[in-house]
DNA sequence: TAGTGGTCTAGACCACGCC
DNA sequence: GCGTGGTCTAGACCACTAT
Protein backbone atom coordinates (compact mmCIF):
# COMPACT_ATOMS: atom_id res chain seq x y z
CA UNK A 1 0.00 0.00 0.00
CA UNK A 2 1.61 3.19 -1.22
CA UNK A 3 1.86 6.00 1.29
CA UNK A 4 -0.25 9.00 0.27
CA UNK A 5 1.87 11.63 1.99
CA UNK A 6 4.92 12.21 -0.15
CA UNK A 7 7.28 12.86 2.74
CA UNK A 8 6.16 9.59 4.34
CA UNK A 9 6.70 7.75 1.08
CA UNK A 10 10.26 9.08 0.87
CA UNK A 11 10.90 8.26 4.54
CA UNK A 12 9.54 4.73 4.04
CA UNK A 13 11.75 4.22 1.02
CA UNK A 14 14.83 5.31 2.96
CA UNK A 15 13.91 3.17 5.97
CA UNK A 16 13.51 0.11 3.76
CA UNK A 17 16.88 0.78 2.15
CA UNK A 18 18.50 1.04 5.59
CA UNK A 19 16.81 -2.08 7.00
CA UNK A 20 17.63 -4.04 3.83
CA UNK A 21 21.31 -3.27 4.23
CA UNK A 22 21.61 -1.05 1.17
CA UNK A 23 22.91 1.63 3.55
CA UNK A 24 24.91 -0.10 6.30
CA UNK A 25 25.97 1.65 9.49
CA UNK A 26 28.45 4.37 8.60
CA UNK A 27 27.21 4.82 5.01
CA UNK A 28 26.16 8.24 3.75
CA UNK A 29 22.72 9.01 2.32
CA UNK A 30 22.20 10.80 -1.02
CA UNK A 31 22.08 14.59 -0.75
CA UNK A 32 18.79 16.43 -0.34
CA UNK A 33 19.04 17.70 -3.91
CA UNK A 34 19.53 14.19 -5.27
CA UNK A 35 16.64 12.78 -3.25
CA UNK A 36 14.40 15.67 -4.34
CA UNK A 37 15.23 15.02 -7.99
CA UNK A 38 14.83 11.24 -7.81
CA UNK A 39 11.47 11.48 -6.05
CA UNK A 40 10.21 14.46 -8.02
CA UNK A 41 9.62 16.39 -4.81
CA UNK A 42 10.81 19.71 -3.45
CA UNK A 43 13.69 20.00 -1.05
CA UNK A 44 11.33 20.91 1.79
CA UNK A 45 9.47 17.64 1.44
CA UNK A 46 12.73 15.68 1.42
CA UNK A 47 13.83 17.47 4.59
CA UNK A 48 10.54 16.51 6.26
CA UNK A 49 11.27 12.88 5.38
CA UNK A 50 14.84 12.76 6.66
CA UNK A 51 13.91 14.64 9.83
CA UNK A 52 11.66 11.68 10.69
CA UNK A 53 14.61 9.29 10.42
CA UNK A 54 16.66 11.75 12.45
CA UNK A 55 14.07 11.67 15.24
CA UNK A 56 14.12 7.86 15.17
CA UNK A 57 17.87 7.94 15.69
CA UNK A 58 18.49 6.05 12.45
CA UNK A 59 20.69 8.75 10.94
CA UNK A 60 22.91 11.58 12.11
CA UNK A 61 23.10 14.99 10.49
CA UNK A 62 25.74 17.76 10.49
CA UNK A 63 25.79 20.97 8.54
CA UNK A 64 28.14 20.67 5.59
CA UNK A 65 28.45 16.88 5.54
CA UNK A 66 26.14 14.20 4.16
CA UNK A 67 23.83 12.35 6.52
CA UNK A 68 25.27 9.20 8.07
CA UNK A 69 23.49 5.95 8.98
CA UNK A 70 23.83 5.38 12.73
CA UNK A 71 21.65 2.33 13.27
CA UNK A 72 19.76 -0.25 11.24
CA UNK A 73 17.38 -1.31 14.01
CA UNK A 74 13.71 -0.43 13.41
CA UNK A 75 11.96 1.57 16.10
CA UNK A 76 8.47 0.75 17.28
CA UNK A 77 5.21 2.57 16.81
CA UNK A 78 3.77 4.13 19.94
CA UNK A 79 0.97 1.56 19.83
CA UNK A 80 3.42 -1.33 19.89
CA UNK A 81 5.04 0.20 22.93
CA UNK A 82 1.72 0.92 24.60
CA UNK A 83 0.02 -2.40 23.99
CA UNK A 84 1.53 -5.48 25.58
CA UNK A 85 -0.40 -7.75 23.21
CA UNK A 86 0.62 -5.94 20.03
CA UNK A 87 4.24 -5.82 21.16
CA UNK A 88 4.22 -9.54 21.89
CA UNK A 89 2.67 -10.35 18.52
CA UNK A 90 5.26 -8.29 16.65
CA UNK A 91 7.90 -10.46 18.33
CA UNK A 92 6.06 -13.64 17.34
CA UNK A 93 5.04 -14.50 20.90
CA UNK A 94 1.64 -15.22 22.43
CA UNK A 95 0.36 -12.69 24.97
CA UNK A 96 -2.07 -13.57 27.73
CA UNK A 97 -3.82 -11.48 30.34
CA UNK A 98 -5.79 -12.09 33.50
CA UNK A 99 -7.56 -9.64 35.79
CA UNK A 100 -6.75 -10.53 39.40
CA UNK A 101 -8.71 -7.71 41.01
CA UNK A 102 -10.84 -4.76 39.97
CA UNK A 103 -12.51 -2.17 42.19
CA UNK A 104 -13.57 1.47 42.37
CA UNK A 105 -12.05 3.66 45.05
CA UNK A 106 -10.92 7.22 45.75
CA UNK A 107 -7.93 8.74 43.93
CA UNK A 108 -4.83 9.34 46.06
CA UNK A 109 -3.15 12.73 45.86
CA UNK A 110 -0.44 11.59 43.42
CA UNK A 111 -2.93 9.76 41.19
CA UNK A 112 -5.25 12.77 41.16
CA UNK A 113 -2.37 14.87 39.88
CA UNK A 114 -1.42 12.41 37.15
CA UNK A 115 -5.02 11.88 35.98
CA UNK A 116 -5.91 15.57 36.39
CA UNK A 117 -8.94 14.83 38.57
CA UNK A 118 -9.73 16.14 42.04
CA UNK A 119 -8.28 14.42 45.11
CA UNK A 120 -10.69 11.65 46.19
CA UNK A 121 -12.47 11.41 42.83
CA UNK A 122 -13.64 7.88 41.97
CA UNK A 123 -11.14 5.83 39.96
CA UNK A 124 -11.07 2.22 38.82
CA UNK A 125 -8.13 0.16 40.08
CA UNK A 126 -7.24 -2.99 38.15
CA UNK A 127 -4.56 -5.56 38.99
CA UNK A 128 -3.64 -7.53 35.89
CA UNK A 129 -1.14 -10.31 35.29
CA UNK A 130 0.38 -10.57 31.81
CA UNK A 131 1.95 -13.66 30.34
CA UNK A 132 4.25 -14.36 27.39
CA UNK A 133 3.93 -17.88 25.98
CA UNK A 134 2.23 -18.85 29.23
CA UNK A 135 4.97 -17.49 31.50
CA UNK A 136 4.05 -14.63 33.86
CA UNK A 137 6.29 -11.67 33.04
CA UNK A 138 4.44 -8.52 34.06
CA UNK A 139 2.21 -7.37 36.89
CA UNK A 140 0.20 -4.23 36.09
CA UNK A 141 -1.44 -2.02 38.69
CA UNK A 142 -3.52 0.34 36.58
CA UNK A 143 -5.70 3.25 37.70
CA UNK A 144 -8.33 4.40 35.18
CA UNK A 145 -10.04 7.79 35.15
CA UNK A 146 -13.74 7.78 35.98
CA UNK A 147 -14.94 8.48 32.42
CA UNK A 148 -13.25 5.41 30.94
CA UNK A 149 -13.75 3.05 33.91
CA UNK A 150 -17.13 1.57 32.84
CA UNK A 151 -15.72 0.57 29.42
CA UNK A 152 -12.80 -1.16 31.16
CA UNK A 153 -15.12 -3.01 33.55
CA UNK A 154 -17.11 -4.32 30.58
CA UNK A 155 -14.07 -6.15 29.21
CA UNK A 156 -13.69 -9.89 29.80
CA UNK A 157 -11.28 -10.85 32.59
CA UNK A 158 -8.96 -12.67 30.23
CA UNK A 159 -8.97 -9.96 27.58
CA UNK A 160 -5.82 -10.39 25.52
CA UNK A 161 -5.48 -6.84 24.23
CA UNK A 162 -7.10 -4.14 26.35
CA UNK A 163 -5.88 -1.42 24.01
CA UNK A 164 -7.46 -3.10 21.01
CA UNK A 165 -10.80 -3.75 22.69
CA UNK A 166 -11.09 -0.24 24.09
CA UNK A 167 -10.37 1.19 20.66
CA UNK A 168 -12.94 -1.03 18.95
CA UNK A 169 -15.61 -0.54 21.63
CA UNK A 170 -15.29 3.18 22.34
CA UNK A 171 -13.08 4.64 19.60
CA UNK A 172 -10.52 5.55 22.25
CA UNK A 173 -7.04 6.26 20.94
CA UNK A 174 -3.95 6.39 23.15
CA UNK A 175 -1.78 9.17 21.77
CA UNK A 176 0.57 10.54 24.42
CA UNK A 177 2.53 8.76 27.11
CA UNK A 178 5.04 9.43 29.84
CA UNK A 179 7.23 6.66 31.23
CA UNK A 180 9.33 6.62 34.42
CA UNK A 181 11.69 3.67 34.68
CA UNK A 182 13.53 2.37 37.76
CA UNK A 183 14.26 -0.82 39.67
CA UNK A 184 12.53 -2.09 42.82
CA UNK A 185 12.61 -5.19 45.00
CA UNK A 186 9.67 -7.55 44.62
CA UNK A 187 7.07 -7.26 47.37
CA UNK A 188 5.02 -10.17 48.67
CA UNK A 189 2.28 -9.85 46.05
CA UNK A 190 4.78 -9.27 43.22
CA UNK A 191 6.74 -12.37 44.22
CA UNK A 192 3.68 -14.57 44.44
CA UNK A 193 2.20 -13.61 41.06
CA UNK A 194 5.47 -13.45 39.10
CA UNK A 195 6.70 -16.66 40.77
CA UNK A 196 9.98 -15.41 42.20
CA UNK A 197 11.45 -14.71 45.63
CA UNK A 198 10.58 -11.65 47.68
CA UNK A 199 13.30 -9.04 47.27
CA UNK A 200 14.15 -10.12 43.71
CA UNK A 201 14.94 -7.27 41.30
CA UNK A 202 12.04 -6.01 39.17
CA UNK A 203 12.05 -3.45 36.38
CA UNK A 204 9.36 -0.92 37.24
CA UNK A 205 7.72 1.35 34.66
CA UNK A 206 5.30 3.95 35.94
CA UNK A 207 3.39 5.35 32.99
CA UNK A 208 0.54 7.71 32.27
CA UNK A 209 -1.35 7.76 28.97
CA UNK A 210 -3.54 10.47 27.44
CA UNK A 211 -5.78 11.11 24.43
CA UNK A 212 -4.92 13.33 21.46
CA UNK A 213 -6.17 16.44 23.27
CA UNK A 214 -4.15 15.64 26.38
CA UNK A 215 -6.91 14.17 28.56
CA UNK A 216 -5.37 11.53 30.87
CA UNK A 217 -6.81 8.04 30.51
CA UNK A 218 -4.88 5.86 32.92
CA UNK A 219 -1.79 5.69 35.07
CA UNK A 220 -0.07 2.43 35.84
CA UNK A 221 2.70 0.81 37.87
CA UNK A 222 4.07 -2.04 35.74
CA UNK A 223 6.59 -4.50 37.16
CA UNK A 224 8.54 -6.73 34.80
CA UNK A 225 10.21 -9.99 35.69
CA UNK A 226 13.94 -9.49 35.13
CA UNK A 227 15.34 -10.86 31.92
CA UNK A 228 12.05 -10.70 30.06
CA UNK A 229 12.21 -7.18 28.72
CA UNK A 230 14.57 -4.28 27.98
CA UNK A 231 13.68 -0.65 27.28
CA UNK A 232 15.77 1.17 24.69
CA UNK A 233 16.20 4.78 23.65
CA UNK A 234 18.29 6.34 20.91
CA UNK A 235 19.09 10.00 21.29
CA UNK A 236 21.44 12.77 20.31
CA UNK A 237 22.33 16.38 21.05
CA UNK A 238 19.57 17.47 18.69
CA UNK A 239 16.80 15.16 19.84
CA UNK A 240 16.90 14.03 23.43
CA UNK A 241 13.74 12.43 24.79
CA UNK A 242 15.38 10.56 27.65
CA UNK A 243 15.70 12.24 31.03
CA UNK A 244 17.45 11.05 34.16
CA UNK A 245 15.95 12.37 37.39
CA UNK A 246 16.67 12.09 41.08
CA UNK A 247 14.41 9.59 42.77
CA UNK B 1 21.69 36.12 25.48
CA UNK B 2 19.29 36.39 22.58
CA UNK B 3 19.05 33.33 20.33
CA UNK B 4 20.30 34.06 16.82
CA UNK B 5 18.17 31.47 15.06
CA UNK B 6 14.65 32.83 14.83
CA UNK B 7 12.91 29.48 15.23
CA UNK B 8 14.93 28.83 18.39
CA UNK B 9 14.03 32.28 19.72
CA UNK B 10 10.33 31.55 19.21
CA UNK B 11 10.69 28.09 20.77
CA UNK B 12 12.51 29.57 23.78
CA UNK B 13 9.82 32.17 24.23
CA UNK B 14 7.10 29.50 24.20
CA UNK B 15 9.06 27.25 26.58
CA UNK B 16 9.50 30.10 29.03
CA UNK B 17 5.78 30.86 28.86
CA UNK B 18 4.96 27.20 29.57
CA UNK B 19 7.47 26.83 32.44
CA UNK B 20 6.34 30.15 33.94
CA UNK B 21 2.76 28.91 34.10
CA UNK B 22 1.36 31.31 31.51
CA UNK B 23 0.17 28.22 29.63
CA UNK B 24 -0.80 25.58 32.20
CA UNK B 25 -1.40 21.92 31.30
CA UNK B 26 -4.47 21.75 29.08
CA UNK B 27 -4.19 25.34 27.78
CA UNK B 28 -4.10 26.02 24.05
CA UNK B 29 -1.28 27.89 22.31
CA UNK B 30 -1.84 30.80 19.89
CA UNK B 31 -2.38 29.77 16.27
CA UNK B 32 0.54 29.58 13.84
CA UNK B 33 -0.73 32.69 12.07
CA UNK B 34 -0.87 34.65 15.32
CA UNK B 35 2.63 33.55 16.36
CA UNK B 36 4.00 34.38 12.92
CA UNK B 37 2.50 37.86 13.10
CA UNK B 38 3.62 38.57 16.66
CA UNK B 39 7.18 37.44 15.97
CA UNK B 40 7.39 38.93 12.50
CA UNK B 41 8.33 35.54 11.06
CA UNK B 42 6.91 33.31 8.37
CA UNK B 43 4.61 30.40 9.15
CA UNK B 44 7.34 27.92 8.25
CA UNK B 45 9.65 29.30 10.92
CA UNK B 46 6.88 29.15 13.51
CA UNK B 47 6.21 25.52 12.59
CA UNK B 48 9.89 24.72 13.06
CA UNK B 49 9.69 26.21 16.56
CA UNK B 50 6.58 24.36 17.69
CA UNK B 51 7.85 21.08 16.24
CA UNK B 52 10.73 21.30 18.71
CA UNK B 53 8.28 21.53 21.61
CA UNK B 54 6.33 18.67 20.06
CA UNK B 55 9.46 16.50 20.04
CA UNK B 56 10.09 17.36 23.69
CA UNK B 57 6.59 16.16 24.53
CA UNK B 58 5.64 19.56 25.93
CA UNK B 59 2.68 20.02 23.58
CA UNK B 60 0.30 17.91 21.55
CA UNK B 61 -0.90 18.71 18.05
CA UNK B 62 -3.91 17.64 15.99
CA UNK B 63 -4.98 18.81 12.58
CA UNK B 64 -7.81 21.33 12.86
CA UNK B 65 -7.44 22.08 16.57
CA UNK B 66 -5.07 24.40 18.39
CA UNK B 67 -1.98 22.93 20.07
CA UNK B 68 -2.43 21.84 23.66
CA UNK B 69 0.05 21.99 26.54
CA UNK B 70 0.71 18.43 27.80
CA UNK B 71 3.46 18.96 30.33
CA UNK B 72 5.28 21.81 32.05
CA UNK B 73 8.40 19.81 33.00
CA UNK B 74 11.64 20.84 31.24
CA UNK B 75 13.57 18.14 29.41
CA UNK B 76 17.34 17.79 29.62
CA UNK B 77 20.04 18.42 27.09
CA UNK B 78 21.81 15.34 25.81
CA UNK B 79 24.95 16.46 27.64
CA UNK B 80 23.16 16.57 30.97
CA UNK B 81 21.97 13.03 30.36
CA UNK B 82 25.38 11.86 29.21
CA UNK B 83 27.51 13.43 31.92
CA UNK B 84 26.97 12.29 35.49
CA UNK B 85 28.74 15.37 36.85
CA UNK B 86 26.74 17.87 34.80
CA UNK B 87 23.50 16.11 35.66
CA UNK B 88 24.34 16.18 39.36
CA UNK B 89 25.24 19.86 39.24
CA UNK B 90 21.96 20.78 37.50
CA UNK B 91 20.20 19.14 40.46
CA UNK B 92 22.33 21.07 42.94
CA UNK B 93 24.23 18.01 44.13
CA UNK B 94 27.95 17.29 44.35
CA UNK B 95 29.28 14.55 42.06
CA UNK B 96 32.39 12.53 42.83
CA UNK B 97 34.25 9.90 40.85
CA UNK B 98 36.93 7.35 41.55
CA UNK B 99 38.68 4.97 39.19
CA UNK B 100 38.86 1.53 40.83
CA UNK B 101 40.57 -0.25 37.95
CA UNK B 102 41.86 0.52 34.47
CA UNK B 103 43.47 -1.86 31.97
CA UNK B 104 43.87 -2.62 28.27
CA UNK B 105 42.57 -5.94 26.94
CA UNK B 106 41.01 -7.52 23.89
CA UNK B 107 37.45 -6.63 22.79
CA UNK B 108 34.84 -9.34 23.26
CA UNK B 109 32.55 -10.15 20.36
CA UNK B 110 29.64 -8.04 21.64
CA UNK B 111 31.88 -5.09 22.46
CA UNK B 112 33.55 -5.27 19.06
CA UNK B 113 30.11 -4.99 17.47
CA UNK B 114 29.07 -2.02 19.59
CA UNK B 115 32.36 -0.15 19.10
CA UNK B 116 32.64 -1.15 15.43
CA UNK B 117 36.13 -2.57 15.83
CA UNK B 118 37.39 -6.04 14.98
CA UNK B 119 37.01 -8.89 17.47
CA UNK B 120 40.05 -8.93 19.75
CA UNK B 121 41.09 -5.33 19.04
CA UNK B 122 42.65 -3.55 22.02
CA UNK B 123 40.22 -1.64 24.21
CA UNK B 124 40.56 0.21 27.50
CA UNK B 125 38.41 -1.10 30.36
CA UNK B 126 37.69 1.24 33.25
CA UNK B 127 35.78 0.50 36.46
CA UNK B 128 34.57 3.73 38.04
CA UNK B 129 32.54 4.44 41.16
CA UNK B 130 30.37 7.56 41.15
CA UNK B 131 29.11 9.34 44.24
CA UNK B 132 26.39 11.89 44.91
CA UNK B 133 27.02 14.03 47.99
CA UNK B 134 29.54 11.42 49.09
CA UNK B 135 27.16 8.46 48.78
CA UNK B 136 28.06 5.78 46.22
CA UNK B 137 25.18 5.54 43.73
CA UNK B 138 26.60 4.25 40.47
CA UNK B 139 29.15 1.67 39.34
CA UNK B 140 30.32 2.16 35.74
CA UNK B 141 32.06 -0.50 33.70
CA UNK B 142 33.17 1.41 30.61
CA UNK B 143 34.97 0.12 27.52
CA UNK B 144 36.75 2.76 25.41
CA UNK B 145 37.74 2.39 21.78
CA UNK B 146 41.49 2.27 21.11
CA UNK B 147 41.71 5.76 19.55
CA UNK B 148 40.35 7.51 22.65
CA UNK B 149 41.91 5.24 25.29
CA UNK B 150 45.16 7.17 25.80
CA UNK B 151 43.26 10.41 26.50
CA UNK B 152 41.17 8.58 29.09
CA UNK B 153 44.25 7.09 30.77
CA UNK B 154 45.74 10.58 31.09
CA UNK B 155 42.86 11.72 33.28
CA UNK B 156 43.30 11.88 37.06
CA UNK B 157 41.78 8.96 38.99
CA UNK B 158 39.37 11.19 40.88
CA UNK B 159 38.31 13.17 37.82
CA UNK B 160 34.93 14.67 38.58
CA UNK B 161 33.67 15.13 35.03
CA UNK B 162 35.18 12.81 32.44
CA UNK B 163 33.00 14.27 29.71
CA UNK B 164 34.16 17.81 30.46
CA UNK B 165 37.84 16.91 30.63
CA UNK B 166 37.80 14.89 27.42
CA UNK B 167 36.10 17.77 25.65
CA UNK B 168 38.60 20.33 26.92
CA UNK B 169 41.66 18.12 26.29
CA UNK B 170 40.83 16.62 22.92
CA UNK B 171 37.85 18.55 21.55
CA UNK B 172 35.80 15.37 21.66
CA UNK B 173 32.04 15.84 21.53
CA UNK B 174 29.54 13.16 22.47
CA UNK B 175 26.63 13.51 20.04
CA UNK B 176 24.71 10.26 19.69
CA UNK B 177 23.75 7.70 22.28
CA UNK B 178 21.83 4.48 22.65
CA UNK B 179 20.54 3.33 26.03
CA UNK B 180 19.23 -0.11 27.05
CA UNK B 181 17.56 -0.17 30.44
CA UNK B 182 16.70 -3.19 32.59
CA UNK B 183 17.02 -4.50 36.15
CA UNK B 184 19.59 -6.97 37.50
CA UNK B 185 20.55 -8.42 40.85
CA UNK B 186 23.72 -7.06 42.42
CA UNK B 187 26.75 -9.30 42.02
CA UNK B 188 29.53 -9.56 44.60
CA UNK B 189 31.53 -6.61 43.25
CA UNK B 190 28.40 -4.47 42.78
CA UNK B 191 27.32 -5.15 46.35
CA UNK B 192 30.71 -4.35 47.84
CA UNK B 193 31.20 -1.03 46.01
CA UNK B 194 27.62 0.22 46.28
CA UNK B 195 27.36 -0.93 49.89
CA UNK B 196 24.32 -3.13 49.66
CA UNK B 197 23.53 -6.86 49.87
CA UNK B 198 24.25 -9.32 47.07
CA UNK B 199 21.08 -9.93 45.08
CA UNK B 200 19.67 -6.44 45.72
CA UNK B 201 17.88 -4.86 42.76
CA UNK B 202 19.96 -2.55 40.57
CA UNK B 203 18.88 -0.40 37.62
CA UNK B 204 21.19 -1.26 34.76
CA UNK B 205 21.79 1.04 31.78
CA UNK B 206 23.90 -0.29 28.97
CA UNK B 207 24.85 2.60 26.73
CA UNK B 208 26.99 3.31 23.70
CA UNK B 209 28.06 6.81 22.69
CA UNK B 210 29.32 8.08 19.35
CA UNK B 211 30.69 11.24 17.72
CA UNK B 212 28.82 13.48 15.29
CA UNK B 213 29.82 11.30 12.33
CA UNK B 214 28.72 8.13 14.08
CA UNK B 215 32.11 6.84 15.23
CA UNK B 216 31.62 4.89 18.50
CA UNK B 217 33.59 6.24 21.47
CA UNK B 218 32.67 4.03 24.39
CA UNK B 219 30.20 1.44 25.59
CA UNK B 220 29.31 1.06 29.23
CA UNK B 221 27.40 -1.05 31.75
CA UNK B 222 26.14 1.35 34.43
CA UNK B 223 24.48 0.03 37.59
CA UNK B 224 22.53 2.42 39.77
CA UNK B 225 21.69 1.94 43.42
CA UNK B 226 17.90 1.70 43.64
CA UNK B 227 16.08 4.82 44.74
CA UNK B 228 18.81 7.17 43.54
CA UNK B 229 17.72 7.71 39.97
CA UNK B 230 14.77 7.41 37.58
CA UNK B 231 14.80 7.52 33.78
CA UNK B 232 11.90 9.26 32.07
CA UNK B 233 10.60 9.44 28.51
CA UNK B 234 7.70 11.37 27.02
CA UNK B 235 6.37 10.09 23.74
CA UNK B 236 3.39 10.04 21.39
CA UNK B 237 2.07 8.40 18.25
CA UNK B 238 4.00 10.94 16.23
CA UNK B 239 7.31 10.81 18.05
CA UNK B 240 8.22 7.56 19.75
CA UNK B 241 11.82 7.19 20.85
CA UNK B 242 11.20 4.50 23.46
CA UNK B 243 11.35 0.86 22.46
CA UNK B 244 10.56 -2.24 24.50
CA UNK B 245 12.48 -5.32 23.43
CA UNK B 246 12.66 -8.94 24.46
CA UNK B 247 15.65 -9.66 26.63
C1' DT C 1 -18.55 27.66 7.29
C1' DA C 2 -14.54 29.78 9.24
C1' DG C 3 -10.33 28.72 11.45
C1' DT C 4 -6.59 25.62 12.22
C1' DG C 5 -2.85 22.63 11.45
C1' DG C 6 -0.70 19.37 7.72
C1' DT C 7 1.46 19.18 3.22
C1' DC C 8 4.00 20.96 -0.60
C1' DT C 9 6.41 24.18 -3.67
C1' DA C 10 10.24 27.22 -5.51
C1' DG C 11 13.07 30.09 -4.48
C1' DA C 12 16.94 32.56 -1.52
C1' DC C 13 20.97 33.09 1.54
C1' DC C 14 24.16 31.36 4.96
C1' DA C 15 27.52 28.28 7.77
C1' DC C 16 30.12 24.54 7.53
C1' DG C 17 32.83 20.34 5.64
C1' DC C 18 35.71 18.64 2.63
C1' DC C 19 39.13 18.51 -0.93
C1' DG D 1 35.67 26.72 -3.96
C1' DC D 2 32.07 23.78 -4.26
C1' DG D 3 28.76 20.90 -2.33
C1' DT D 4 26.14 20.12 1.73
C1' DG D 5 22.83 20.79 5.18
C1' DG D 6 20.45 24.72 8.11
C1' DT D 7 17.44 28.70 7.95
C1' DC D 8 13.82 31.53 6.14
C1' DT D 9 10.22 33.31 3.03
C1' DA D 10 5.56 33.68 0.63
C1' DG D 11 2.50 31.52 -1.28
C1' DA D 12 -0.88 27.52 -2.29
C1' DC D 13 -4.12 23.72 -1.38
C1' DC D 14 -6.10 20.21 1.60
C1' DA D 15 -8.05 17.72 5.87
C1' DC D 16 -9.89 18.30 9.90
C1' DT D 17 -12.16 20.71 14.15
C1' DA D 18 -15.18 23.53 16.05
C1' DT D 19 -19.45 26.14 16.16
Amino acid sequence: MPESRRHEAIADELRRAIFDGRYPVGATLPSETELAASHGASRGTVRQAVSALLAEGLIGSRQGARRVVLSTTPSQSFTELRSFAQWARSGGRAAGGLVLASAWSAAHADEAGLLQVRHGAPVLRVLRLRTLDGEPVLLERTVYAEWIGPAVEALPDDCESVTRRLHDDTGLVFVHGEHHIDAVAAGTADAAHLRLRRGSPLLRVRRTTATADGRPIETSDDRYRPGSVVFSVRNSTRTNPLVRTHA
Side-chain angles (χ1 to χ4, degrees), chain A:
Chain A
M1 120 184 184
E3 182 58 62
S4 56
R5 271 113 81 228
R6 309 192 61 176
H7 69 91
E8 269 299 342
I10 300 172
D12 282 350
E13 204 276 325
L14 288 171
R15 275 193 209 96
R16 265 196 304 276
I18 290 172
F19 299 152
D20 289 356
R22 272 175 282 161
Y23 296 112
V25 171
T28 60
L29 257 44
S31 75
E32 294 179 358
T33 324
E34 285 167 1
L35 288 170
S38 66
H39 286 88
S42 77
R43 205 185 139 207
T45 305
V46 169
R47 284 183 63 80
Q48 205 173 346
V50 295
S51 74
L53 305 207
L54 202 63
E56 290 163 30
L58 291 176
I59 61 174
S61 192
R62 308 145 63 200
Q63 193 171 65
R66 287 210 176 182
R67 294 186 172 86
V68 178
V69 175
L70 293 174
S71 168
T72 55
T73 314
S75 55
Q76 291 168 13
S77 73
F78 178 75
T79 305
E80 278 172 326
L81 173 67
R82 170 66 197 66
S83 167
F84 184 80
Q86 290 185 41
W87 166 69
R89 189 171 337 113
S90 76
R93 309 185 64 171
L98 188 63
V99 171
L100 301 174
S102 175
W104 288 90
S105 59
H108 304 156
D110 55 343
E111 293 164 354
L114 292 168
L115 293 176
Q116 290 171 41
V117 299
R118 69 172 196 289
H119 184 123
V123 291
L124 179 65
R125 267 168 233 284
V126 177
L127 179 67
R128 211 182 265 116
L129 182 68
R130 302 295 210 131
T131 61
L132 220 45
D133 296 335
E135 287 296 308
V137 298
L138 164 61
L139 193 61
E140 287 179 351
R141 291 181 177 87
T142 311
V143 181
Y144 293 93
E146 186 174 9
W147 60 275
I148 193 67
V152 175
E153 276 189 303
L155 299 175
D157 274 5
D158 63 347
C159 182
E160 194 197 284
S161 179
V162 176
T163 303
R164 178 62 166 275
R165 286 294 300 266
L166 283 179
H167 178 264
D168 294 350
D169 294 356
T170 69
L172 183 70
V173 187
F174 297 83
V175 172
H176 304 289
E178 178 150 359
H179 294 69
H180 302 280
I181 307 175
D182 62 1
V184 295
T188 311
D190 301 330
H193 295 304
L194 293 172
R195 294 194 208 145
L196 31 78
R197 283 200 309 283
R198 230 180 117 254
S200 295
L202 292 178
L203 184 64
R204 175 171 69 167
V205 181
R206 283 169 297 180
R207 58 183 169 81
T208 303
T209 324
T211 60
D213 54 352
R215 180 146 79 141
I217 302 169
E218 48 155 28
T219 181
S220 189
D221 177 311
D222 297 350
R223 301 182 180 202
Y224 291 87
R225 217 190 139 95
S228 60
V229 69
V230 178
F231 284 86
S232 303
V233 178
R234 279 196 289 260
N235 51 9
S236 78
T237 45
R238 295 188 46 98
T239 72
N240 184 34
L242 181 60
V243 168
R244 172 173 52 182
T245 49
H246 297 278

